[in-house]
């Protein structure tokens, strides 16, 4: 059961299916499924860490996408309002009502300034989305490597297990956003 949960954490729904299949394969094995304590603790801890990092990254991605979508919707509303004010100003001019036309244009000016600011913010948000998506991709790649390590550890014995343990302890799980800083 824990393999399906771990697979779900690492790779989403497909990982859960993979984990369930892996668990059922262990069930068919004559010696039975290895207990969690039989798996080297380093590998299990690594899998948990990668799973948490990936889950956090997915949450961050969702928040960044939501902020971008909210800003884009606001821009569309402002553009529609600016178009409406322009039409109303033109209609007022056609009706020889310069005071009303001026009032509509005065309402339009601050909206245009706000629109320009929000367009700049949207460009920044799109850059953040690209960065977060690249970081999630890196973490997904790490999760696949750890999944492979878990799969190999399943049947490993003796020297193989020692080599896999060394590989797990050498594996570095690092948030890609931290690459920008010298820590």
């Amino acid at each position: 059961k824990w393999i399906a949960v771990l697979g779900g954490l690492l790779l989403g729904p497909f990982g859960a299916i993979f984990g369930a299949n892996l668990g059922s394969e262990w069930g068919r094995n004559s010696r039975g499924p290895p207990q969690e304590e039989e798996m080297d603790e380093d590998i299990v801890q690594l899998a948990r860490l990668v799973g948490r990092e990936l889950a956090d990254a997915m949450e961050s991605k969702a928040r960044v996408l939501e902020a971008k979508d909210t800003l884009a919707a606001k821009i569309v509303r402002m553009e529609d309002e600016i178009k409406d004010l322009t039409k109303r100003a033109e209609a007022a001019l056609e009706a020889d009502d310069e005071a009303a036309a001026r009032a509509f244009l005065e309402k339009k000016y601050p909206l245009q300034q706000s629109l320009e600011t929000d367009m700049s913010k949207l460009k920044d948000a799109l850059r953040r989305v690209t960065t977060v998506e690249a970081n999630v991709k890196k973490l997904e790649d790490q999760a696949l490597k750890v999944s492979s390590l878990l799969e190999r550890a399943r049947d490993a014995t003796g020297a193989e297990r020692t080599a896999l343990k060394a590989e797990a302890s050498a594996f570095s799980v690092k948030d890609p956003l931290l690459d920008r800083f010298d820590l």
Side-chain angles (χ1 to χ4, degrees):
K1 291 179 185 178
W2 66 272
I3 296 293
V5 172
L6 187 58
L9 281 174
L10 294 177
L11 305 170
F14 295 109
I17 292 169
F18 169 76
N21 288 337
L22 189 61
S24 70
E25 184 178 315
W26 280 338
R28 279 182 264 147
N29 194 338
S30 62
R31 61 187 173 141
Q35 298 300 313
E36 188 169 338
E37 55 270 8
E38 288 180 27
M39 298 284 279
D40 289 319
E41 188 62 28
D42 290 344
I43 296 172
V44 173
Q45 289 299 326
L46 179 63
R48 288 180 182 150
L49 178 62
V50 169
R52 279 192 304 269
E53 290 290 327
L54 186 55
D56 291 345
M58 295 300 282
E59 287 177 25
S60 295
K61 179 182 175 182
R63 284 191 301 269
V64 168
L65 286 171
E66 182 181 343
K68 184 230 8 137
D69 292 344
T70 301
L71 190 56
K74 180 181 176 186
I75 287 171
V76 168
R77 283 192 308 272
M78 287 172 44
E79 287 173 336
D80 290 344
E81 192 171 343
I82 288 170
K83 286 177 187 175
D84 181 56
L85 288 170
T86 301
K87 285 180 185 177
R88 292 168 117 189
E90 288 171 354
L93 281 177
E94 287 177 9
D96 290 327
D97 189 357
E98 288 184 25
R102 181 181 313 271
F104 288 128
L105 293 175
E106 287 174 355
K107 287 181 185 177
K108 179 181 158 183
Y109 180 75
L111 281 175
Q112 286 177 319
Q113 297 301 316
S114 182
L115 178 63
E116 289 176 20
T117 302
D118 286 347
M119 292 292 273
S120 176
K121 288 179 184 178
L122 182 61
K123 287 179 186 176
D124 291 341
L126 290 172
R127 277 193 293 273
R128 282 191 299 275
V129 166
T130 301
T131 301
V132 168
E133 286 176 343
N135 292 336
V136 167
K137 176 69 175 130
K138 287 178 186 177
L139 287 170
E140 287 173 338
D141 291 344
Q142 287 180 343
L144 288 173
K145 289 176 186 175
V146 170
S147 175
S148 170
L149 190 64
L150 277 171
E151 190 173 324
R152 289 182 293 158
R154 163 187 79 181
D155 296 321
T157 59
E160 295 171 337
R161 196 167 275 250
T162 303
L164 289 173
K165 186 175 181 177
E167 186 178 337
S169 58
F171 196 88
S172 163
V173 178
K174 185 169 126 181
D175 187 343
L177 287 174
L178 296 177
D179 287 343
R180 294 183 180 185
F181 304 103
D182 295 326
L183 297 176

PDB file of all heavy atoms in Angstrom, residues 21-56:
ATOM      1  N   ASN A  21       1.033  -1.363  -8.991  1.00  0.00           N
ATOM      2  CA  ASN A  21       1.543  -2.500  -9.772  1.00  0.00           C
ATOM      3  C   ASN A  21       2.793  -3.085  -9.141  1.00  0.00           C
ATOM      4  O   ASN A  21       2.961  -4.298  -9.073  1.00  0.00           O
ATOM      5  CB  ASN A  21       1.839  -2.078 -11.216  1.00  0.00           C
ATOM      6  CG  ASN A  21       0.581  -1.844 -12.007  1.00  0.00           C
ATOM      7  OD1 ASN A  21      -0.474  -2.371 -11.672  1.00  0.00           O
ATOM      8  ND2 ASN A  21       0.675  -1.049 -13.055  1.00  0.00           N
ATOM      9  N   LEU A  22       3.666  -2.215  -8.673  1.00  0.00           N
ATOM     10  CA  LEU A  22       4.887  -2.657  -8.026  1.00  0.00           C
ATOM     11  C   LEU A  22       4.544  -3.445  -6.766  1.00  0.00           C
ATOM     12  O   LEU A  22       5.100  -4.509  -6.512  1.00  0.00           O
ATOM     13  CB  LEU A  22       5.758  -1.450  -7.691  1.00  0.00           C
ATOM     14  CG  LEU A  22       7.168  -1.708  -7.208  1.00  0.00           C
ATOM     15  CD1 LEU A  22       7.971  -2.446  -8.265  1.00  0.00           C
ATOM     16  CD2 LEU A  22       7.837  -0.385  -6.888  1.00  0.00           C
ATOM     17  N   GLY A  23       3.592  -2.936  -5.999  1.00  0.00           N
ATOM     18  CA  GLY A  23       3.178  -3.626  -4.780  1.00  0.00           C
ATOM     19  C   GLY A  23       2.550  -4.982  -5.072  1.00  0.00           C
ATOM     20  O   GLY A  23       2.803  -5.965  -4.383  1.00  0.00           O
ATOM     21  N   SER A  24       1.752  -5.061  -6.145  1.00  0.00           N
ATOM     22  CA  SER A  24       1.128  -6.343  -6.476  1.00  0.00           C
ATOM     23  C   SER A  24       2.165  -7.336  -6.976  1.00  0.00           C
ATOM     24  O   SER A  24       2.059  -8.529  -6.736  1.00  0.00           O
ATOM     25  CB  SER A  24       0.013  -6.164  -7.504  1.00  0.00           C
ATOM     26  OG  SER A  24       0.559  -5.819  -8.762  1.00  0.00           O
ATOM     27  N   GLU A  25       3.194  -6.830  -7.663  1.00  0.00           N
ATOM     28  CA  GLU A  25       4.283  -7.706  -8.109  1.00  0.00           C
ATOM     29  C   GLU A  25       5.006  -8.288  -6.905  1.00  0.00           C
ATOM     30  O   GLU A  25       5.357  -9.463  -6.886  1.00  0.00           O
ATOM     31  CB  GLU A  25       5.243  -6.918  -8.994  1.00  0.00           C
ATOM     32  CG  GLU A  25       6.353  -7.764  -9.580  1.00  0.00           C
ATOM     33  CD  GLU A  25       7.246  -6.943 -10.481  1.00  0.00           C
ATOM     34  OE1 GLU A  25       6.739  -6.177 -11.296  1.00  0.00           O
ATOM     35  OE2 GLU A  25       8.475  -7.095 -10.335  1.00  0.00           O
ATOM     36  N   TRP A  26       5.219  -7.464  -5.878  1.00  0.00           N
ATOM     37  CA  TRP A  26       5.857  -7.966  -4.664  1.00  0.00           C
ATOM     38  C   TRP A  26       4.968  -9.009  -3.982  1.00  0.00           C
ATOM     39  O   TRP A  26       5.454  -9.939  -3.384  1.00  0.00           O
ATOM     40  CB  TRP A  26       6.147  -6.830  -3.704  1.00  0.00           C
ATOM     41  CG  TRP A  26       7.366  -6.063  -4.043  1.00  0.00           C
ATOM     42  CD1 TRP A  26       8.421  -6.470  -4.796  1.00  0.00           C
ATOM     43  CD2 TRP A  26       7.675  -4.743  -3.635  1.00  0.00           C
ATOM     44  NE1 TRP A  26       9.350  -5.500  -4.890  1.00  0.00           N
ATOM     45  CE2 TRP A  26       8.933  -4.415  -4.186  1.00  0.00           C
ATOM     46  CE3 TRP A  26       7.031  -3.795  -2.863  1.00  0.00           C
ATOM     47  CZ2 TRP A  26       9.538  -3.195  -3.971  1.00  0.00           C
ATOM     48  CZ3 TRP A  26       7.642  -2.583  -2.657  1.00  0.00           C
ATOM     49  CH2 TRP A  26       8.886  -2.285  -3.211  1.00  0.00           C
ATOM     50  N   GLY A  27       3.670  -8.823  -4.084  1.00  0.00           N
ATOM     51  CA  GLY A  27       2.744  -9.779  -3.487  1.00  0.00           C
ATOM     52  C   GLY A  27       2.826 -11.138  -4.155  1.00  0.00           C
ATOM     53  O   GLY A  27       2.646 -12.170  -3.523  1.00  0.00           O
ATOM     54  N   ARG A  28       3.099 -11.138  -5.461  1.00  0.00           N
ATOM     55  CA  ARG A  28       3.223 -12.398  -6.194  1.00  0.00           C
ATOM     56  C   ARG A  28       4.557 -13.088  -5.925  1.00  0.00           C
ATOM     57  O   ARG A  28       4.692 -14.283  -6.130  1.00  0.00           O
ATOM     58  CB  ARG A  28       3.089 -12.146  -7.698  1.00  0.00           C
ATOM     59  CG  ARG A  28       1.654 -12.018  -8.118  1.00  0.00           C
ATOM     60  CD  ARG A  28       1.549 -11.822  -9.598  1.00  0.00           C
ATOM     61  NE  ARG A  28       1.437 -10.362  -9.775  1.00  0.00           N
ATOM     62  CZ  ARG A  28       1.920  -9.693 -10.787  1.00  0.00           C
ATOM     63  NH1 ARG A  28       2.529 -10.295 -11.753  1.00  0.00           N
ATOM     64  NH2 ARG A  28       1.786  -8.398 -10.862  1.00  0.00           N
ATOM     65  N   ASN A  29       5.528 -12.310  -5.517  1.00  0.00           N
ATOM     66  CA  ASN A  29       6.857 -12.843  -5.252  1.00  0.00           C
ATOM     67  C   ASN A  29       6.768 -13.821  -4.074  1.00  0.00           C
ATOM     68  O   ASN A  29       6.097 -13.571  -3.087  1.00  0.00           O
ATOM     69  CB  ASN A  29       7.802 -11.688  -4.924  1.00  0.00           C
ATOM     70  CG  ASN A  29       9.245 -12.097  -4.954  1.00  0.00           C
ATOM     71  OD1 ASN A  29       9.570 -13.266  -4.828  1.00  0.00           O
ATOM     72  ND2 ASN A  29      10.115 -11.121  -5.123  1.00  0.00           N
ATOM     73  N   SER A  30       7.476 -14.942  -4.162  1.00  0.00           N
ATOM     74  CA  SER A  30       7.365 -15.987  -3.134  1.00  0.00           C
ATOM     75  C   SER A  30       7.870 -15.523  -1.764  1.00  0.00           C
ATOM     76  O   SER A  30       7.382 -15.972  -0.747  1.00  0.00           O
ATOM     77  CB  SER A  30       8.136 -17.236  -3.567  1.00  0.00           C
ATOM     78  OG  SER A  30       9.512 -16.922  -3.699  1.00  0.00           O
ATOM     79  N   ARG A  31       8.845 -14.635  -1.748  1.00  0.00           N
ATOM     80  CA  ARG A  31       9.353 -14.204  -0.448  1.00  0.00           C
ATOM     81  C   ARG A  31       8.513 -13.075   0.146  1.00  0.00           C
ATOM     82  O   ARG A  31       8.784 -12.614   1.241  1.00  0.00           O
ATOM     83  CB  ARG A  31      10.812 -13.800  -0.529  1.00  0.00           C
ATOM     84  CG  ARG A  31      11.066 -12.652  -1.447  1.00  0.00           C
ATOM     85  CD  ARG A  31      12.543 -12.394  -1.621  1.00  0.00           C
ATOM     86  NE  ARG A  31      12.675 -11.380  -2.653  1.00  0.00           N
ATOM     87  CZ  ARG A  31      13.542 -10.423  -2.631  1.00  0.00           C
ATOM     88  NH1 ARG A  31      14.391 -10.333  -1.645  1.00  0.00           N
ATOM     89  NH2 ARG A  31      13.596  -9.552  -3.586  1.00  0.00           N
ATOM     90  N   GLY A  32       7.519 -12.605  -0.580  1.00  0.00           N
ATOM     91  CA  GLY A  32       6.628 -11.564  -0.070  1.00  0.00           C
ATOM     92  C   GLY A  32       7.222 -10.183  -0.262  1.00  0.00           C
ATOM     93  O   GLY A  32       8.377 -10.035  -0.649  1.00  0.00           O
ATOM     94  N   PRO A  33       6.425  -9.174  -0.003  1.00  0.00           N
ATOM     95  CA  PRO A  33       6.913  -7.803  -0.194  1.00  0.00           C
ATOM     96  C   PRO A  33       7.960  -7.448   0.850  1.00  0.00           C
ATOM     97  O   PRO A  33       7.849  -7.860   2.002  1.00  0.00           O
ATOM     98  CB  PRO A  33       5.661  -6.936  -0.029  1.00  0.00           C
ATOM     99  CG  PRO A  33       4.750  -7.765   0.796  1.00  0.00           C
ATOM    100  CD  PRO A  33       5.047  -9.198   0.462  1.00  0.00           C
ATOM    101  N   PRO A  34       8.973  -6.700   0.426  1.00  0.00           N
ATOM    102  CA  PRO A  34       9.940  -6.273   1.432  1.00  0.00           C
ATOM    103  C   PRO A  34       9.286  -5.286   2.386  1.00  0.00           C
ATOM    104  O   PRO A  34       8.457  -4.491   1.975  1.00  0.00           O
ATOM    105  CB  PRO A  34      11.042  -5.594   0.613  1.00  0.00           C
ATOM    106  CG  PRO A  34      10.449  -5.309  -0.711  1.00  0.00           C
ATOM    107  CD  PRO A  34       9.278  -6.222  -0.895  1.00  0.00           C
ATOM    108  N   GLN A  35       9.632  -5.383   3.615  1.00  0.00           N
ATOM    109  CA  GLN A  35       9.113  -4.449   4.595  1.00  0.00           C
ATOM    110  C   GLN A  35       9.844  -3.125   4.431  1.00  0.00           C
ATOM    111  O   GLN A  35      10.957  -3.084   3.935  1.00  0.00           O
ATOM    112  CB  GLN A  35       9.312  -4.997   6.014  1.00  0.00           C
ATOM    113  CG  GLN A  35       8.581  -6.298   6.255  1.00  0.00           C
ATOM    114  CD  GLN A  35       7.081  -6.141   6.073  1.00  0.00           C
ATOM    115  OE1 GLN A  35       6.501  -5.203   6.599  1.00  0.00           O
ATOM    116  NE2 GLN A  35       6.462  -7.048   5.330  1.00  0.00           N
ATOM    117  N   GLU A  36       9.208  -2.045   4.861  1.00  0.00           N
ATOM    118  CA  GLU A  36       9.818  -0.721   4.718  1.00  0.00           C
ATOM    119  C   GLU A  36      11.176  -0.677   5.408  1.00  0.00           C
ATOM    120  O   GLU A  36      12.106  -0.070   4.895  1.00  0.00           O
ATOM    121  CB  GLU A  36       8.896   0.357   5.276  1.00  0.00           C
ATOM    122  CG  GLU A  36       9.388   1.746   4.993  1.00  0.00           C
ATOM    123  CD  GLU A  36       8.364   2.805   5.300  1.00  0.00           C
ATOM    124  OE1 GLU A  36       7.172   2.506   5.336  1.00  0.00           O
ATOM    125  OE2 GLU A  36       8.786   3.947   5.503  1.00  0.00           O
ATOM    126  N   GLU A  37      11.303  -1.380   6.544  1.00  0.00           N
ATOM    127  CA  GLU A  37      12.581  -1.338   7.236  1.00  0.00           C
ATOM    128  C   GLU A  37      13.647  -2.114   6.472  1.00  0.00           C
ATOM    129  O   GLU A  37      14.830  -1.880   6.647  1.00  0.00           O
ATOM    130  CB  GLU A  37      12.462  -1.832   8.684  1.00  0.00           C
ATOM    131  CG  GLU A  37      11.873  -3.215   8.836  1.00  0.00           C
ATOM    132  CD  GLU A  37      10.359  -3.212   8.970  1.00  0.00           C
ATOM    133  OE1 GLU A  37       9.736  -2.153   8.794  1.00  0.00           O
ATOM    134  OE2 GLU A  37       9.797  -4.264   9.238  1.00  0.00           O
ATOM    135  N   GLU A  38      13.228  -3.075   5.595  1.00  0.00           N
ATOM    136  CA  GLU A  38      14.181  -3.782   4.762  1.00  0.00           C
ATOM    137  C   GLU A  38      14.764  -2.852   3.703  1.00  0.00           C
ATOM    138  O   GLU A  38      15.885  -3.034   3.276  1.00  0.00           O
ATOM    139  CB  GLU A  38      13.533  -4.983   4.084  1.00  0.00           C
ATOM    140  CG  GLU A  38      13.239  -6.132   5.012  1.00  0.00           C
ATOM    141  CD  GLU A  38      12.590  -7.278   4.270  1.00  0.00           C
ATOM    142  OE1 GLU A  38      12.811  -7.419   3.053  1.00  0.00           O
ATOM    143  OE2 GLU A  38      11.850  -8.025   4.907  1.00  0.00           O
ATOM    144  N   MET A  39      13.960  -1.924   3.230  1.00  0.00           N
ATOM    145  CA  MET A  39      14.460  -0.939   2.283  1.00  0.00           C
ATOM    146  C   MET A  39      15.398  -0.038   3.067  1.00  0.00           C
ATOM    147  O   MET A  39      15.118   0.326   4.199  1.00  0.00           O
ATOM    148  CB  MET A  39      13.316  -0.096   1.710  1.00  0.00           C
ATOM    149  CG  MET A  39      12.281  -0.859   0.921  1.00  0.00           C
ATOM    150  SD  MET A  39      12.841  -1.318  -0.690  1.00  0.00           S
ATOM    151  CE  MET A  39      12.584   0.195  -1.555  1.00  0.00           C
ATOM    152  N   ASP A  40      16.501   0.297   2.461  1.00  0.00           N
ATOM    153  CA  ASP A  40      17.439   1.170   3.163  1.00  0.00           C
ATOM    154  C   ASP A  40      16.749   2.481   3.503  1.00  0.00           C
ATOM    155  O   ASP A  40      16.081   3.081   2.678  1.00  0.00           O
ATOM    156  CB  ASP A  40      18.678   1.415   2.308  1.00  0.00           C
ATOM    157  CG  ASP A  40      19.541   0.173   2.210  1.00  0.00           C
ATOM    158  OD1 ASP A  40      19.693  -0.493   3.241  1.00  0.00           O
ATOM    159  OD2 ASP A  40      20.030  -0.116   1.107  1.00  0.00           O
ATOM    160  N   GLU A  41      16.937   2.893   4.732  1.00  0.00           N
ATOM    161  CA  GLU A  41      16.280   4.103   5.226  1.00  0.00           C
ATOM    162  C   GLU A  41      16.648   5.325   4.393  1.00  0.00           C
ATOM    163  O   GLU A  41      15.812   6.203   4.179  1.00  0.00           O
ATOM    164  CB  GLU A  41      16.644   4.318   6.703  1.00  0.00           C
ATOM    165  CG  GLU A  41      15.872   5.425   7.365  1.00  0.00           C
ATOM    166  CD  GLU A  41      14.369   5.201   7.405  1.00  0.00           C
ATOM    167  OE1 GLU A  41      13.911   4.040   7.421  1.00  0.00           O
ATOM    168  OE2 GLU A  41      13.635   6.205   7.420  1.00  0.00           O
ATOM    169  N   ASP A  42      17.888   5.366   3.872  1.00  0.00           N
ATOM    170  CA  ASP A  42      18.296   6.495   3.039  1.00  0.00           C
ATOM    171  C   ASP A  42      17.412   6.613   1.795  1.00  0.00           C
ATOM    172  O   ASP A  42      17.010   7.709   1.409  1.00  0.00           O
ATOM    173  CB  ASP A  42      19.756   6.359   2.592  1.00  0.00           C
ATOM    174  CG  ASP A  42      20.733   6.543   3.727  1.00  0.00           C
ATOM    175  OD1 ASP A  42      20.315   7.063   4.788  1.00  0.00           O
ATOM    176  OD2 ASP A  42      21.907   6.173   3.556  1.00  0.00           O
ATOM    177  N   ILE A  43      17.117   5.490   1.188  1.00  0.00           N
ATOM    178  CA  ILE A  43      16.311   5.491  -0.035  1.00  0.00           C
ATOM    179  C   ILE A  43      14.877   5.900   0.280  1.00  0.00           C
ATOM    180  O   ILE A  43      14.273   6.700  -0.438  1.00  0.00           O
ATOM    181  CB  ILE A  43      16.365   4.106  -0.724  1.00  0.00           C
ATOM    182  CG1 ILE A  43      17.798   3.796  -1.170  1.00  0.00           C
ATOM    183  CG2 ILE A  43      15.416   4.059  -1.914  1.00  0.00           C
ATOM    184  CD1 ILE A  43      18.015   2.392  -1.676  1.00  0.00           C
ATOM    185  N   VAL A  44      14.342   5.386   1.363  1.00  0.00           N
ATOM    186  CA  VAL A  44      12.975   5.729   1.752  1.00  0.00           C
ATOM    187  C   VAL A  44      12.874   7.214   2.101  1.00  0.00           C
ATOM    188  O   VAL A  44      11.944   7.902   1.662  1.00  0.00           O
ATOM    189  CB  VAL A  44      12.512   4.844   2.934  1.00  0.00           C
ATOM    190  CG1 VAL A  44      11.161   5.304   3.445  1.00  0.00           C
ATOM    191  CG2 VAL A  44      12.458   3.384   2.505  1.00  0.00           C
ATOM    192  N   GLN A  45      13.838   7.709   2.864  1.00  0.00           N
ATOM    193  CA  GLN A  45      13.839   9.135   3.220  1.00  0.00           C
ATOM    194  C   GLN A  45      13.984  10.005   1.983  1.00  0.00           C
ATOM    195  O   GLN A  45      13.338  11.053   1.873  1.00  0.00           O
ATOM    196  CB  GLN A  45      14.965   9.447   4.225  1.00  0.00           C
ATOM    197  CG  GLN A  45      14.727   8.889   5.603  1.00  0.00           C
ATOM    198  CD  GLN A  45      13.465   9.455   6.243  1.00  0.00           C
ATOM    199  OE1 GLN A  45      13.095  10.595   6.038  1.00  0.00           O
ATOM    200  NE2 GLN A  45      12.783   8.615   7.019  1.00  0.00           N
ATOM    201  N   LEU A  46      14.825   9.582   1.051  1.00  0.00           N
ATOM    202  CA  LEU A  46      15.003  10.318  -0.193  1.00  0.00           C
ATOM    203  C   LEU A  46      13.696  10.381  -0.973  1.00  0.00           C
ATOM    204  O   LEU A  46      13.303  11.436  -1.475  1.00  0.00           O
ATOM    205  CB  LEU A  46      16.108   9.667  -1.034  1.00  0.00           C
ATOM    206  CG  LEU A  46      16.402  10.290  -2.384  1.00  0.00           C
ATOM    207  CD1 LEU A  46      16.898  11.719  -2.213  1.00  0.00           C
ATOM    208  CD2 LEU A  46      17.429   9.448  -3.126  1.00  0.00           C
ATOM    209  N   ALA A  47      13.000   9.261  -1.053  1.00  0.00           N
ATOM    210  CA  ALA A  47      11.720   9.227  -1.762  1.00  0.00           C
ATOM    211  C   ALA A  47      10.705  10.152  -1.095  1.00  0.00           C
ATOM    212  O   ALA A  47       9.982  10.883  -1.776  1.00  0.00           O
ATOM    213  CB  ALA A  47      11.185   7.800  -1.807  1.00  0.00           C
ATOM    214  N   ARG A  48      10.663  10.145   0.218  1.00  0.00           N
ATOM    215  CA  ARG A  48       9.741  11.034   0.937  1.00  0.00           C
ATOM    216  C   ARG A  48      10.085  12.505   0.690  1.00  0.00           C
ATOM    217  O   ARG A  48       9.206  13.332   0.481  1.00  0.00           O
ATOM    218  CB  ARG A  48       9.774  10.738   2.431  1.00  0.00           C
ATOM    219  CG  ARG A  48       9.103   9.445   2.790  1.00  0.00           C
ATOM    220  CD  ARG A  48       9.165   9.185   4.273  1.00  0.00           C
ATOM    221  NE  ARG A  48       8.550   7.906   4.589  1.00  0.00           N
ATOM    222  CZ  ARG A  48       8.907   7.151   5.596  1.00  0.00           C
ATOM    223  NH1 ARG A  48       9.862   7.533   6.416  1.00  0.00           N
ATOM    224  NH2 ARG A  48       8.319   5.999   5.804  1.00  0.00           N
ATOM    225  N   LEU A  49      11.388  12.806   0.739  1.00  0.00           N
ATOM    226  CA  LEU A  49      11.831  14.183   0.524  1.00  0.00           C
ATOM    227  C   LEU A  49      11.483  14.665  -0.880  1.00  0.00           C
ATOM    228  O   LEU A  49      10.943  15.762  -1.054  1.00  0.00           O
ATOM    229  CB  LEU A  49      13.341  14.293   0.765  1.00  0.00           C
ATOM    230  CG  LEU A  49      13.965  15.663   0.525  1.00  0.00           C
ATOM    231  CD1 LEU A  49      13.371  16.693   1.488  1.00  0.00           C
ATOM    232  CD2 LEU A  49      15.473  15.584   0.682  1.00  0.00           C
ATOM    233  N   VAL A  50      11.768  13.843  -1.868  1.00  0.00           N
ATOM    234  CA  VAL A  50      11.445  14.223  -3.247  1.00  0.00           C
ATOM    235  C   VAL A  50       9.935  14.388  -3.403  1.00  0.00           C
ATOM    236  O   VAL A  50       9.470  15.320  -4.058  1.00  0.00           O
ATOM    237  CB  VAL A  50      11.999  13.184  -4.251  1.00  0.00           C
ATOM    238  CG1 VAL A  50      11.450  13.418  -5.643  1.00  0.00           C
ATOM    239  CG2 VAL A  50      13.509  13.237  -4.283  1.00  0.00           C
ATOM    240  N   GLY A  51       9.179  13.506  -2.785  1.00  0.00           N
ATOM    241  CA  GLY A  51       7.722  13.614  -2.853  1.00  0.00           C
ATOM    242  C   GLY A  51       7.213  14.913  -2.253  1.00  0.00           C
ATOM    243  O   GLY A  51       6.358  15.581  -2.832  1.00  0.00           O
ATOM    244  N   ARG A  52       7.756  15.286  -1.092  1.00  0.00           N
ATOM    245  CA  ARG A  52       7.348  16.551  -0.461  1.00  0.00           C
ATOM    246  C   ARG A  52       7.745  17.749  -1.311  1.00  0.00           C
ATOM    247  O   ARG A  52       6.963  18.685  -1.489  1.00  0.00           O
ATOM    248  CB  ARG A  52       7.961  16.677   0.934  1.00  0.00           C
ATOM    249  CG  ARG A  52       7.231  15.915   2.009  1.00  0.00           C
ATOM    250  CD  ARG A  52       7.715  16.302   3.400  1.00  0.00           C
ATOM    251  NE  ARG A  52       9.155  16.140   3.574  1.00  0.00           N
ATOM    252  CZ  ARG A  52       9.753  15.035   4.023  1.00  0.00           C
ATOM    253  NH1 ARG A  52       9.023  13.986   4.347  1.00  0.00           N
ATOM    254  NH2 ARG A  52      11.059  14.983   4.152  1.00  0.00           N
ATOM    255  N   GLU A  53       8.980  17.738  -1.814  1.00  0.00           N
ATOM    256  CA  GLU A  53       9.454  18.852  -2.647  1.00  0.00           C
ATOM    257  C   GLU A  53       8.593  19.004  -3.896  1.00  0.00           C
ATOM    258  O   GLU A  53       8.231  20.115  -4.277  1.00  0.00           O
ATOM    259  CB  GLU A  53      10.925  18.645  -3.048  1.00  0.00           C
ATOM    260  CG  GLU A  53      11.902  18.786  -1.918  1.00  0.00           C
ATOM    261  CD  GLU A  53      12.040  20.211  -1.430  1.00  0.00           C
ATOM    262  OE1 GLU A  53      11.918  21.145  -2.234  1.00  0.00           O
ATOM    263  OE2 GLU A  53      12.260  20.388  -0.218  1.00  0.00           O
ATOM    264  N   LEU A  54       8.274  17.878  -4.508  1.00  0.00           N
ATOM    265  CA  LEU A  54       7.451  17.923  -5.717  1.00  0.00           C
ATOM    266  C   LEU A  54       6.041  18.407  -5.401  1.00  0.00           C
ATOM    267  O   LEU A  54       5.476  19.227  -6.138  1.00  0.00           O
ATOM    268  CB  LEU A  54       7.416  16.550  -6.396  1.00  0.00           C
ATOM    269  CG  LEU A  54       6.716  16.481  -7.744  1.00  0.00           C
ATOM    270  CD1 LEU A  54       7.298  17.483  -8.730  1.00  0.00           C
ATOM    271  CD2 LEU A  54       6.808  15.074  -8.308  1.00  0.00           C
ATOM    272  N   ALA A  55       5.476  17.957  -4.299  1.00  0.00           N
ATOM    273  CA  ALA A  55       4.137  18.411  -3.907  1.00  0.00           C
ATOM    274  C   ALA A  55       4.137  19.916  -3.635  1.00  0.00           C
ATOM    275  O   ALA A  55       3.227  20.638  -4.074  1.00  0.00           O
ATOM    276  CB  ALA A  55       3.654  17.647  -2.678  1.00  0.00           C
ATOM    277  N   ASP A  56       5.167  20.397  -2.942  1.00  0.00           N
ATOM    278  CA  ASP A  56       5.279  21.838  -2.681  1.00  0.00           C
ATOM    279  C   ASP A  56       5.425  22.625  -3.978  1.00  0.00           C
ATOM    280  O   ASP A  56       4.826  23.693  -4.143  1.00  0.00           O
ATOM    281  CB  ASP A  56       6.471  22.134  -1.765  1.00  0.00           C
ATOM    282  CG  ASP A  56       6.280  21.632  -0.345  1.00  0.00           C
ATOM    283  OD1 ASP A  56       5.125  21.300   0.020  1.00  0.00           O
ATOM    284  OD2 ASP A  56       7.280  21.564   0.402  1.00  0.00           O
TER     285      ASP A  56
END
